[in-house]
Each structure stands twice: as C-alpha cells, then as structure tokens.
Amino acid sequence: MRPIFCLIIVSLFFVNCNAQVVIKTITTKELKTLLEQDNIQLMDVRSPKEIKEGFIQTAKFSNYFDDNFYEIATKQLDKTQPVYLYCRSGNRSGKSAKILQEKGYEVYNVLGGYNQWKKEN
C-alpha cells in the first residue's frame, strides 16, 4: 500500500510542475524591429510617475499597481491580437502577462523593460 501512496504523491508533484504558465518573451531589439514594421499592441504597465520620465511611442498605459489593472488594460486591448508588455525592468510586465494570458490573451514580456530600451535607443 505504501508504494502506491508514494507513487500518487510523486505523480501529483509532476502534474503541478507542468501546470506552470510559460510567458513568451521578446528582447527590446526585437521589439524595435516589430515597431518599425507593424502597428502592434504595446502596453506600459508602469506608474504615472515612471511614465513621466519617458515611454515608448504608441504604448498604451495601465498601471500594474491599480486595483482595477485588468479592467483598464482590457478596455484598451484587442484580444485577437498579441500584446507586448513592458515595465521598468521586466518584473511587473511578467506578472501582468500572466494575468492577461490566464484570461486568453497572447502576451509577450519585453525583457529588460524600459531601462533596457533606453540603453539601446
């Protein structure tokens, strides 16, 4: 009986490991190329104070820290098109990507965020 119990526990562990959400990523160089070629859905999830310091042209805005982040973001987005998300360094945009992906959006997290964008542009 004990070996069966151990097998069940181990199986549950592997099922939980596979349930993790994988977020697609894109570099700032790849983002720049996309922006030059196409009209994409780009969303900045930083705070208004951070946005005042600069932002990527054509970006839409929804502050990740707002209680109604999801509602504000989705009012601006087309669910049939990919969404590219950035923040200051890539952490909040990764969390935002997870929220939107779980609701059926195709999302890409911009690696390095606005800090990396400023270094390269």
Side-chain angles (χ1 to χ4, degrees):
M1 183 80 158
R2 188 173 185 149
I4 293 174
F5 179 73
C6 290
L7 181 62
I8 291 171
I9 296 298
V10 170
S11 296
L12 289 174
F13 174 75
F14 286 113
V15 169
N16 286 336
C17 288
N18 290 334
Q20 291 179 353
V21 176
V22 176
I23 303 297
K24 298 175 191 172
T25 59
I26 184 172
T27 66
T28 51
K29 289 179 182 182
E30 291 169 319
L31 177 64
K32 183 175 183 177
T33 300
L34 275 176
L35 288 168
E36 291 169 350
Q37 297 173 354
D38 204 0
N39 184 20
I40 65 169
Q41 292 190 106
L42 178 63
M43 180 159 281
D44 186 331
V45 298
R46 297 176 300 152
S47 70
K49 181 180 176 184
E50 291 170 301
I51 292 168
K52 286 180 184 175
E53 297 171 6
F55 59 91
I56 302 172
Q57 294 294 46
T58 74
K60 298 171 172 125
F61 306 101
S62 182
N63 183 358
Y64 171 77
F65 292 122
D66 283 346
D67 290 336
N68 56 349
F69 162 76
Y70 175 75
E71 289 79 18
I72 293 170
T74 57
K75 284 181 182 177
Q76 302 176 67
L77 299 172
D78 178 356
K79 202 171 194 176
T80 66
Q81 300 295 319
V83 179
Y84 299 86
L85 300 164
Y86 75 94
C87 61
R88 186 184 71 235
S89 63
N91 187 30
R92 282 174 283 173
S93 55
K95 293 175 184 177
S96 301
K98 183 177 178 184
I99 291 168
L100 292 172
Q101 184 171 304
E102 288 173 350
K103 300 293 185 178
Y105 286 84
E106 178 184 356
V107 293
Y108 294 83
N109 183 22
V110 179
L111 297 171
Y114 190 70
N115 287 345
Q116 186 65 32
W117 178 266
K118 283 193 313 186
K119 286 179 188 175
E120 296 175 357
N121 296 289

